[in-house]
Amino acid sequence: MSTVAAQTAPHVVDPKTARKVTLAGCVGIFAELYDNGIFGFMAGTLGAVFFPDAANAVQVQLVFLGYAVSFFFRPLGAVICGHLGDRIGRQRMLVFVILLISVATAAIGLLPTYASIGIAAPALLILLRVLQGFSVGGEASGAMSFLAEHAPEGKRGLYTSYAQIASFLSLLTGTLIAAGMTSGLGAERMESYGWRIPFLLAIPLGITGIYIRKRISDTPNFTRLKEAGGLSKNPLKEAFSSAEHRRAMLLALFIPLMNGSGYYVLFSYMPTFMNTELHFSKVQGLLVTATSLVAISLAIPFMGALSDRIGRKKVLAGAAVAMALAGIPCYLLIGTGNVALAILGACVMAVIFAGHTGVIHILLVELFPTRLRYSAYGLGYNISSALFGGTAPLLMTYLISRTGNVNMPAFYAVVTAVGTLIAVSRVQDRAHLPLRDA
């Protein structure tokens, strides 16, 4: 191992570079998460197009099965992209992953339907979802590491929170597009051709993201480590050989538990849940989700900046406690059938969840040194996403169908919040320390 110092001096980033780097990170995250999230928003229509012979409820379950399958390829994407990101640089891999997901998403928009080619249509749909999952597996840890390693000391939480704003704005964009098209075209035309349009928007989004990312330099931390000869030859092997890093990867697996009930249930699954289980119209369900996405986008930077002041643990623990207490009452508000009360319940949960999603990634970045950060952080986080995130919509539809209890998402919110709280209690807060290179 190289003798690169474990602690590095704080670095100063000029405002122009900071804006350029933040834009590159956020545009890429926006494109990636739009491409990934639009699949969930279009679940009902995709079910009718690719599984027309199944009953409505089964159609949705089959689409969410395809949604879940892609998550099990995220760890593979994290391993391969993380290894290369720690070996050849963050910037190159961030260009690659956005290219891959843009091609895969656009290809979904060009797929023949079940009526045209039969069972081959859903098989191709799932294959393209696998490519999307692989790409997203290399995106989150790479983009967050990229932003954090460029950020000036004392502002890492704020800088990385901008990427989370981009991720939720991408979901908001997907929600509004799905709502507008569903309302404007109607079910028949959506199933005929309208469903293709949101996926084909990946083309201009991808081109924009690739252009911006190709024009930026790699991070000061990675460049410094490379010049000092301190790059790891096998980052994951090194991570697994250290008790400290094994423990950190385990924490990276369990701290994001709340993502399952927050990101993947409260936002991705909510429109379908409200339509199929609570009997709201599709547009009403998308409206509630859109409003909560505005609320969380406004709250995230405040949570990121707050974590820079008081530490990551306090903000994350506070969010977990609040979700455990408010999860069930908020879902009861959503379940009243009243749109205004549903918006209130969803927005309260969104603001609470901002304390988790706005801080979680910078805490995970700070768990690992630069020489293996992309690999180790990516593996732990993406295994967590596969086990507790991507399966969440499928699990919710299954549990509701088996029990008849539409409050299952509320119970899931409480359980995952408690799990996150326990895991966070085991973390050393490094908010006020420089990032380690080795």
Side-chain angles (χ1 to χ4, degrees):
M1 182 186 294
S2 168
T3 57
V4 177
Q7 292 285 118
T8 57
H11 59 276
V12 178
V13 179
D14 68 271
K16 183 177 179 180
T17 300
R19 288 193 295 270
K20 187 176 180 181
V21 166
T22 303
L23 178 63
C26 291
V27 168
I29 285 281
F30 182 96
E32 285 268 351
L33 272 297
Y34 169 84
D35 290 353
N36 185 61
I38 196 66
F39 192 93
F41 293 136
M42 301 297 292
T45 302
L46 290 175
V49 170
F50 288 95
F51 304 99
D53 295 334
N56 289 342
V58 177
Q59 286 178 350
V60 172
Q61 288 182 342
L62 288 171
V63 172
F64 279 125
L65 176 61
Y67 185 83
V69 164
S70 73
F71 279 77
F72 289 97
F73 287 84
R74 284 194 181 190
L76 179 62
V79 168
I80 295 175
C81 296
H83 177 84
L84 293 173
D86 283 331
R87 292 288 299 139
I88 67 174
R90 285 76 164 106
Q91 185 262 353
R92 292 184 186 181
M93 292 313 302
L94 290 177
V95 171
F96 167 73
V97 294
I98 195 173
L99 172 63
L100 177 61
I101 199 169
S102 298
V103 170
T105 305
I108 290 177
L110 297 172
L111 279 179
T113 64
Y114 185 93
S116 300
I117 61 172
I119 194 65
L124 288 171
L125 178 69
I126 291 174
L127 175 61
L128 291 171
R129 277 295 297 166
V130 166
L131 293 179
Q132 285 184 319
F134 181 94
S135 174
V136 175
E139 171 67 30
S141 55
M144 296 301 178
S145 296
F146 186 83
L147 287 174
E149 291 173 10
H150 270 291
E153 297 298 332
K155 293 187 177 180
R156 292 196 300 263
L158 177 61
Y159 270 56
T160 53
S161 75
Y162 290 143
Q164 287 301 89
I165 297 173
S167 75
F168 284 97
L169 288 179
S170 74
L171 291 181
L172 175 60
T173 301
T175 303
L176 294 176
I177 289 173
M181 292 187 63
T182 301
S183 177
L185 294 179
E188 185 176 341
R189 282 183 288 182
M190 278 296 291
E191 292 175 15
S192 174
Y193 65 88
W195 66 272
R196 299 181 183 277
I197 298 172
F199 293 98
L200 294 176
L201 288 176
I203 297 173
L205 279 176
I207 291 172
T208 303
I210 291 167
Y211 174 78
I212 293 175
R213 284 187 169 180
K214 283 180 71 69
R215 294 168 61 86
I216 54 176
S217 302
D218 224 316
T219 71
N221 297 65
F222 180 84
T223 302
R224 181 172 56 245
L225 194 65
K226 181 179 180 180
E227 291 173 349
L231 298 179
S232 175
K233 293 182 178 180
N234 192 328
L236 271 184
K237 181 179 179 181
E238 182 178 326
F240 278 106
S241 67
S242 162
E244 176 192 355
H245 298 324
R246 288 196 301 270
R247 181 177 183 274
M249 285 191 288
L250 196 62
L251 290 171
L253 194 159
F254 287 106
I255 292 172
L257 276 173
M258 266 179 67
N259 272 352
S261 60
Y263 194 95
Y264 299 107
V265 173
L266 181 58
F267 298 107
S268 294
Y269 173 62
M270 183 60 73
T272 301
F273 169 69
M274 293 185 67
N275 177 239
T276 59
E277 305 298 341
L278 302 181
H279 308 297
F280 287 84
S281 72
K282 288 184 178 180
V283 174
Q284 286 175 329
L286 290 167
L287 174 64
V288 171
T289 301
T291 308
S292 65
L293 285 166
V294 172
I296 196 170
S297 297
L298 293 173
I300 282 173
F302 293 99
M303 297 300 182
L306 182 62
S307 78
D308 285 328
R309 293 182 57 193
I310 68 173
R312 322 300 183 204
K313 287 183 66 171
K314 291 180 181 178
V315 179
L316 281 166
V321 170
M323 186 65 79
L325 295 175
I328 292 176
C330 285
Y331 266 103
L332 290 176
L333 285 175
I334 296 170
T336 60
N338 182 285
V339 173
L341 291 178
I343 288 174
L344 175 61
C347 285
V348 170
M349 291 186 75
V351 172
I352 291 172
F353 185 60
H356 177 85
T357 195
V359 180
I360 179 69
H361 287 286
I362 186 55
L363 182 142
L364 297 182
V365 164
E366 292 166 346
L367 285 178
F368 303 99
T370 301
R371 59 186 279 117
L372 49 80
R373 179 173 294 125
Y374 199 154
S375 301
Y377 158 27
L379 181 61
Y381 175 74
N382 283 290
I383 290 177
S384 179
S385 294
L387 294 177
F388 309 113
T391 58
L394 182 63
L395 178 63
M396 294 303 100
T397 56
Y398 172 77
L399 290 176
I400 291 171
S401 67
R402 294 287 293 177
T403 66
N405 190 334
V406 296
N407 293 315
M408 283 298 168
F411 304 147
Y412 194 59
V414 173
V415 170
T416 55
V418 171
T420 286
L421 181 62
I422 294 171
V424 166
S425 69
R426 311 298 298 173
V427 171
Q428 177 191 0
D429 200 321
R430 299 186 59 87
H432 302 127
L433 298 173
L435 291 177
R436 296 171 293 163
D437 279 347

